[in-house]
């Protein structure tokens, strides 16, 4: 049997790699998708092979991740429960898509992942596999009873890794889980499972990787200009960049000023609430700037229609339905709404804050001749509002008269 394992080199997938090899007597192909983990990728091939993998495959998917997943999602204005920029959620369908392609190339019978039976990632991996390769078997160790009996908690996994000489970053001194990619880094479990625990305290400073604490951010604001074409950021400070380049540049700028830290309790798709801490410096800037560009260039009713779909779109991404017909249908509408979202947004970054300092566009719908409050230079006749208000007030007056009559 041959199994393609989504391998990060972290505690869970390192233990699972050895466990799969022993339990299924299988050849394990450890697949690592480079989606922006940076230094976390160092030494993974040697580690995977020593842990028991028969083959190690790593692919640089960063540009595809930014271009085909992050940017379309940000065009939709997606943000889950008004707080979460969907950093982990949007990465899983890309990883699973590539796993399926590798499984077919390797003639593997199954794919496997290290997602727990309590989380969302299991759904995201497996819905993608179902949509793209329903013939493949999916092995989810955390949902197998004999695996859970052997590893009832992270302490047992750490001990197993130590016994089998598998180096992992997790330890009793750092008891939390991390997941990093181009869009964000997330922290959960361990000490963070207590929602009263202060993740911004001084003793937790060492946890953060992408951003500085507000106390350590510069005391002067920094200006940044973002140029958009059809809802896509194409330049930062006048320099033309690929989607990957945009994300890398904004991550550095945002991280420098402590932007994009979020500590939330969210509603998982499986039904429970969970606490997560996230760093999304570049994503926070991009989301904010994109919205500013839209306010200038999008028709009111088009904007309101698209905005009404943000919760649904965000849910689809969060719940793992990226490769679903409904998400693709929504994306087609989103693409149409972005046709005129072109122009320049100027921002100031200061101690965790993103402040708009200007926006302009050749396709702007803002007309100062109409909006001005100065004298009667406007092409808008204020007297027209009398009839407008009278017509909109008609049903309210009718209702009020019925109340007076006791109806």
């Amino acid at each position: 049997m041959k199994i393609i394992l989504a391998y990060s080199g972290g505690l869970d997938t390192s233990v699972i790699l050895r466990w799969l090899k022993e339990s299924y007597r299988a050849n394990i192909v450890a697949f690592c998708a480079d989606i922006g983990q940076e230094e976390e990728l160092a030494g993974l091939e040697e580690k995977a092979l020593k842990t028991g993998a028969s083959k190690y495959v790593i692919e640089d998917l960063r540009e595809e991740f930014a271009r085909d997943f992050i940017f379309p999602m940000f065009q939709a204005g997606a943000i889950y429960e008004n707080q979460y920029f969907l950093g982990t959620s949007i990465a899983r369908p890309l990883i699973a898509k590539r796993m399926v392609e590798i499984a077919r190339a390797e003639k593997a019978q199954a794919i496997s992942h290290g997602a727990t039976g309590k989380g969302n990632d299991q759904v995201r991996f497996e819905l993608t596999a179902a949509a793209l390769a329903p013939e493949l078997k999916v092995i989810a160790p955390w949902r197998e009873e004999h695996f859970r009996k052997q590893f009832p908690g992270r302490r047992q996994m750490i001990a197993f890794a130590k016994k089998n000489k598998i180096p992992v970053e997790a330890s009793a001194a750092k008891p939390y889980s991390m997941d990093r990619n181009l869009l964000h880094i997330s922290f959960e479990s361990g000490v963070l499972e207590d929602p009263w625990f202060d993740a911004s305290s001084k003793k937790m400073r060492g946890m953060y990787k992408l951003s500085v604490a507000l106390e350590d951010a510069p005391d002067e604001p920094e200006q940044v200009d973002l140029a958009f074409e059809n809802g896509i950021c194409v330049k930062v400070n006048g320099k033309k960049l690929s989607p990957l380049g945009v994300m890398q540049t904004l991550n550095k700028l945002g991280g420098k000023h402590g932007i994009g830290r979020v500590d939330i309790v969210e509603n998982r798709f499986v039904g429970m609430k969970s606490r997560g801490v996230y760093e999304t410096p570049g994503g926070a800037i991009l989301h904010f700037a994109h919205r500013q560009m839209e306010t200038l260039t999008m028709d009111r009713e088009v904007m309101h229609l698209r905005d009404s779909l943000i919760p649904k779109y965000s849910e689809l991404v969060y719940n793992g339905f990226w490769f679903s017909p409904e998400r693709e249908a929504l994306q087609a509408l989103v693409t149409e709404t972005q046709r005129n979202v072109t122009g320049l947004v100027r921002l100031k970054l200061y101690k965790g804050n993103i402040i708009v300092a200007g926006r302009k566009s050749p396709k702007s719908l803002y007309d100062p001749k109409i909006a001005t409050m100065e004298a009667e230079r406007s092409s808008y006749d204020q007297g027209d509002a009398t009839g407008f208000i009278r017509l909109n007030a008609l049903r309210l007056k009718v209702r009020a008269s019925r109340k007076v009559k006791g109806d």
Side-chain angles (χ1 to χ4, degrees), residues 67-81 84-86 89-90 93 287 305-335 337:
R67 182 189 64 240
D68 298 339
F69 291 80
I70 296 175
F71 275 32
M73 182 180 73
F74 274 69
Q75 281 185 304
I79 183 168
Y80 183 68
E81 297 185 339
Y84 174 40
F85 289 109
L86 296 160
S89 312
I90 193 62
H287 188 273
L305 174 61
R306 194 287 311 275
D307 285 357
S308 72
L309 298 170
I310 288 176
K312 180 61 178 179
Y313 185 104
S314 302
E315 271 189 11
L316 290 173
V317 176
Y318 187 84
N319 295 344
F321 288 95
W322 181 260
F323 291 104
S324 67
E326 60 269 35
R327 200 281 308 175
E328 292 170 355
L330 285 180
Q331 198 72 56
L333 184 145
V334 166
T335 299
T337 69

Side-chain angles (χ1 to χ4, degrees), residues 98-164:
R98 192 64 193 116
M99 287 177 71
V100 164
E101 293 167 350
I102 292 171
R104 285 174 169 160
E106 292 282 340
K107 295 181 172 50
Q109 294 78 39
I111 63 173
S112 183
H113 58 76
T116 75
K118 290 185 175 182
N120 300 303
D121 280 345
Q122 57 178 338
V123 184
R124 296 163 184 156
F125 277 117
E126 295 179 40
L127 288 182
T128 297
L132 302 181
E135 75 280 3
L136 284 177
K137 180 180 179 180
V138 179
I139 300 173
W142 277 108
R143 297 208 304 267
E144 297 191 19
E145 187 176 356
H146 56 297
F147 179 86
R148 295 197 305 274
K149 281 185 177 180
Q150 186 175 352
F151 304 107
R154 293 178 66 78
R155 184 171 56 85
Q156 289 80 9
M157 297 187 81
I158 292 171
F160 178 88
K162 185 176 181 180
K163 179 181 177 182
N164 288 275

Side-chain angles (χ1 to χ4, degrees), residues 224-288:
V224 56
D225 293 346
L226 281 75
F228 287 86
E229 291 180 5
N230 303 319
I232 296 295
C233 182
V234 294
K235 292 181 182 178
V236 178
N237 288 333
K239 183 178 181 181
K240 189 170 182 62
L241 297 169
S242 70
L244 171 59
V246 168
M247 293 307 303
Q248 291 174 325
T249 300
L250 294 182
N251 275 333
K252 290 179 181 178
L253 285 170
K256 175 183 175 182
H257 293 275
I259 287 166
R261 289 191 183 185
V262 181
D263 184 338
I264 63 177
V265 175
E266 66 198 63
N267 290 295
R268 286 182 178 173
F269 189 27
V270 295
M272 69 187 72
K273 290 184 181 291
S274 67
R275 191 268 189 99
V277 178
Y278 302 95
E279 292 181 275
T280 320
I285 295 172
L286 185 61
H287 188 273
F288 184 92

Side-chain angles (χ1 to χ4, degrees), residues 183-185 187 208-211 260-261 277-281:
L183 181 54
H184 86 163
I185 184 168
F187 307 92
Y208 298 94
K209 306 241 181 219
L210 299 180
S211 61
R261 289 191 183 185
V277 178
Y278 302 95
E279 292 181 275
T280 320

